[in-house]
Amino acid sequence: MALLRVEKMSHEFGGLRAVNNYSLEIEKGQIRGLIGPNGAGKTTIFNLITGIYKPTEGEIYLEGKKITGLPPNQIASHGLGRTFQNMQLWRHMSVLEHVKMARYSRITYGLFGAFFGTAKRQREEEEIEEMAYSLLKMVGIAHLAGQIILNLPYGAQRRVEIARALATEPKVLFLDEPTAGMNPEELIQMMEIVRKVHKNLGLAIFLIEHRLKVVMELCEIIQTLNFGQVIAEGTPEEIQNDPKVIDAYLGKGTVI
Amino acid sequence: MNEEYGKIIGITHSIKRKARSLFSEVPLLGWLFGMLIAVILERYVGEALAESLGLSKIPMLFGVVMMLKNPLMIPSTVLYLFTIFVLPISVVARLISGPANRVAAKLLDLPILISVIIHIGLLYAVLYLWSEASAYRVLTLKLTLIAVILTLSLNVVNGYMGEFSCSHPGFMALGAYAASVFTVVLFVDDKLFGHALLPAALAPFMFPIALIIGGIVAAFGALVIAIPSFRTRGDYLAIISLAFMFIVKSMIENLEVVGGPRGLSSQPDLASLPTVFIWTVACIWVTNNFVRSTMGKALNAVRDDEVAANAMTVNTRRTKITAFLFAAFWAGVAGGLFAHVLRYVNPGTFGLQKLAEVLAMVYFGGLNSVYGSIVGGVSLSMLGEALRPLEIFKWIIIPLLLILIMIYRPTGLVAFKEFNVGKLVMPKNKSDQRKSDGAASG
Ligand SMILES: Nc1ncnc2c1ncn2[C@@H]1O[C@H](COP(=O)(O)OP(=O)(O)OP(=O)(O)O)[C@@H](O)[C@H]1O
Ligand SMILES: [Mg+2]
């Protein structure tokens, strides 16, 4: 049984059919890629699976359980963690607080603990903090833990997003263009982080990328999307040589 | 001209730096002790000094009223303030800083709670001795403490959560009336509610229950607002909460059982200074606990990016409703205290003017900050009281001040600053700090 299965999902914005009859199967530990020209509907697919939008049609299953239509926070606690294309961080909070926050649904000290600062809360907050530190170490920004987001360079902010998503203990990690706007050096570092996270935590990764070099290197299977529709699916080699992909995507002058 | 200006700036800077280095090692304990000496001094020599300076009586609220009424009195008032407060506090604080640091360090060997209680006890002693000079000071102090509760609780919604709520006077009214009805029915022979049901001796023990009932009634009111307002995204809260405030006010005006527009009086005298003080401390403590926990930080996450908060497993709707009810609860408690301090309430009190006051305190003091709310609540209610002789001009000066703050510090005086009690009670010199290191990290 696939870890995450999407069946014939479609979505309309007003009259625009942004996603059409989309299906997906991700196995445990797999790295999958999703490519396609601007406006193809990639981010919309992420938003649909993670519950930000409700699909007009179709079903989504995580480990066989239907999660279609659940609110995003529940889907996230079921095991779908994500980052955002344009980074959605909390501008007044510190790096450490970001990562701790993603443990929200696992907090058991409750309002009583929050109001009265019980020993249980103290203990739990310390545990969360320890875990947050280990994740920050994994993505290489433990030394920035106390910094406010606004003071961080761009690359570090991207890493905060990944560490934060990891703190939700995802079974599938959704990365929406994690290398957008990065220089070649940062790009290589980011690829290393993705590999490391994948190896250390053994989770499945679903990756949206504009730069083909990245998807080709990281992913086992790649889907190509155009106008909300999958036009090709296969291994990097297959995708690279698929005339439809070349036509829809590469033909438009994108640099490989 | 420019050169001279530069020179003056240079001098003030160096004075500032000197003053800072002179007092940088004074711990909170030292300051509190200095204040204690000052208020004791005033108690024993205040009157004599005032007389010898040609003042009719000791200045009640730091002499602002005296100075405004009669500008000729400014020199003697300033001299009085300097002799009784500024000089003793700074000298004592400076002299005692060594031993105070050692005591502060020693205290931290014990559980931090003990150190905190001792600090709070000292603060209470200072306030008590200061206020004993007149009933006016007691009243002002109580109302100031209540203002701190109101400001802090509104800051949870408007600052920490970043929504704009206007219903605080409404919650206050609900709390005030609920608590008043409770105590009047139980302990007072009253025209409206008949004979007392319980002996008056029990009243002080039941007063906390009255306040909690007031808080709970206010929280129920908040639920009425929260359910429609937090269902969907969008800025409905400001409008719905404003409407709620007016509805509560006119509802009470039309409720003859509680006196209608004439108001409700004869509340028993239960809101003594220690009671109000303890409730204020409790509010600060609980709120500070809340906003520093990860659950409380969720408010910030919701404010800064709700979609991201949701995607990181935060139940944003529950978070918002909880915070809103929490804030309403404390506004209700504040209302209950308020009613029993004045021992009279009428619906007219809980209108737009009250709203403007509380909002001003929140935004003046600083958003997202417990410090800020204390500063805002204390400074604006003291200022409001002190500027009373100016009458109508008061309502020009205070808004002007607010506008200046909004221009130069758009988020308020001490916004986004954590209120870290552990740091606050720490010794302030290096060697004692090191000794007690780790003990104060809580
Ligand atoms: N909330 C929305 N309301 C209306 N239309 C939307 C909305 N979100 C996306 N769209 C439209 O849906 C289409 C797909 O958008 P989407 O953001 O999913 O593309 P994408 O593949 O992620 O593109 P990019 O590579 O630029 O990120 C676009 O035409 C976009 O304008
Ligand atoms: Mg996109």
Side-chain angles (χ1 to χ4, degrees), chain B residues 115-320:
Chain B
S115 175
V116 172
I117 288 175
I118 288 176
H119 279 82
I120 292 175
L122 258 179
L123 176 64
Y124 178 73
V126 170
L127 293 177
Y128 171 76
L129 289 172
W130 176 79
S131 70
E132 245 205 338
S134 73
Y136 175 63
R137 274 192 182 173
V138 177
L139 180 65
T140 310
L141 184 55
K142 285 180 186 171
L143 293 179
T144 301
L145 291 170
I146 291 170
V148 170
I149 301 182
L150 280 172
T151 311
L152 185 54
S153 54
L154 187 60
N155 203 346
V156 170
V157 178
N158 288 34
Y160 286 91
M161 195 162 87
E163 297 272 350
F164 196 86
S165 166
C166 300
S167 44
H168 245 50
F171 298 146
M172 207 183 157
L174 289 177
Y177 273 87
S180 298
V181 168
F182 183 80
T183 55
V184 172
V185 166
L186 286 184
F187 303 111
V188 181
D189 293 320
D190 181 75
K191 282 196 297 296
L192 288 169
F193 301 110
H195 282 295
L197 300 176
L198 291 173
L202 278 178
F205 302 101
M206 299 291 269
F207 189 47
I209 298 177
L211 292 178
I212 289 172
I213 289 176
I216 290 175
V217 169
F220 265 108
L223 199 59
V224 173
I225 303 178
I227 288 173
S229 308
F230 298 140
R231 170 155 298 161
T232 46
R233 255 170 242 139
D235 294 325
Y236 299 117
L237 182 65
I239 292 171
I240 296 181
S241 62
L242 190 64
F244 177 85
M245 183 189 83
F246 286 119
I247 291 170
V248 168
K249 191 164 159 254
S250 60
M251 193 186 75
I252 297 174
E253 270 163 2
N254 289 299
L255 218 60
E256 277 305 320
V257 205
V258 292
R262 275 167 288 109
L264 180 61
S265 59
S266 72
Q267 284 89 339
D269 186 11
L270 296 171
S272 58
L273 182 61
T275 307
V276 179
F277 182 78
I278 287 173
W279 279 94
T280 309
V281 169
C283 174
I284 294 173
W285 181 66
V286 170
T287 308
N288 196 41
N289 273 337
F290 181 41
V291 298
R292 293 186 67 196
S293 71
T294 297
M295 283 190 89
K297 289 261 153 72
L299 295 176
N300 293 342
V302 165
R303 174 197 61 204
D304 286 353
D305 193 318
E306 191 172 342
V307 173
N310 235 320
M312 296 306 136
T313 76
V314 177
N315 188 336
T316 52
R317 182 148 189 253
R318 196 184 67 185
T319 298
K320 288 201 239 178

Side-chain angles (χ1 to χ4, degrees), chain A residues 13 16 18 37-44 53 85 177 210:
Chain A
F13 289 116
L16 175 80
N38 286 111
K42 306 180 294 293
T43 300
T44 306
Y53 305 140
Q85 179 171 359
E177 299 199 28
H210 254 310

Side-chain angles (χ1 to χ4, degrees), chain A residues 52 71-73 76-77 80-82 84 88-93 97 100-107 109-111 114-117 121-122 125 128 164-165 168, chain B residues 285-316 318-319 322 326 416 418 442:
Chain A
I52 290 177
N73 61 311
S77 17
L80 299 188
R82 69 169 293 175
F84 295 89
Q88 303 198 352
L89 295 162
W90 300 304
R91 50 195 240 106
H92 293 104
M93 286 166 62
E97 283 166 3
K100 284 177 78 179
M101 182 54 61
R103 304 294 295 168
Y104 180 93
S105 67
R106 290 169 205 269
I107 291 172
Y109 58 71
L111 282 176
F115 292 159
F116 299 106
R121 158 183 161 180
Q122 216 73 15
E125 291 278 354
I128 297 175
R164 180 177 73 170
T168 65
Chain B
W285 181 66
V286 170
T287 308
N288 196 41
N289 273 337
F290 181 41
V291 298
R292 293 186 67 196
S293 71
T294 297
M295 283 190 89
K297 289 261 153 72
L299 295 176
N300 293 342
V302 165
R303 174 197 61 204
D304 286 353
D305 193 318
E306 191 172 342
V307 173
N310 235 320
M312 296 306 136
T313 76
V314 177
N315 188 336
T316 52
R318 196 184 67 185
T319 298
T322 308
F326 175 84
F416 295 95
E418 278 221 348

Side-chain angles (χ1 to χ4, degrees), chain A residues 182-227:
Chain A
M182 287 187 167
N183 62 35
E185 192 189 334
E186 290 173 320
L187 184 119
I188 289 171
Q189 287 172 354
M190 181 51 78
M191 282 171 69
E192 233 134 68
I193 288 172
V194 174
R195 281 208 190 91
K196 189 166 161 194
V197 161
H198 178 246
K199 199 177 116 228
N200 287 5
L201 301 173
L203 35 72
I205 294 178
F206 194 24
L207 178 72
I208 295 181
E209 249 311 327
H210 254 310
R211 303 198 219 203
L212 287 179
K213 178 173 174 286
V214 179
V215 250
M216 295 296 170
E217 256 184 59
L218 288 174
C219 302
E220 298 161 38
I221 299 183
I222 299 168
Q223 283 180 328
T224 311
L225 205 67
N226 200 12
F227 297 115

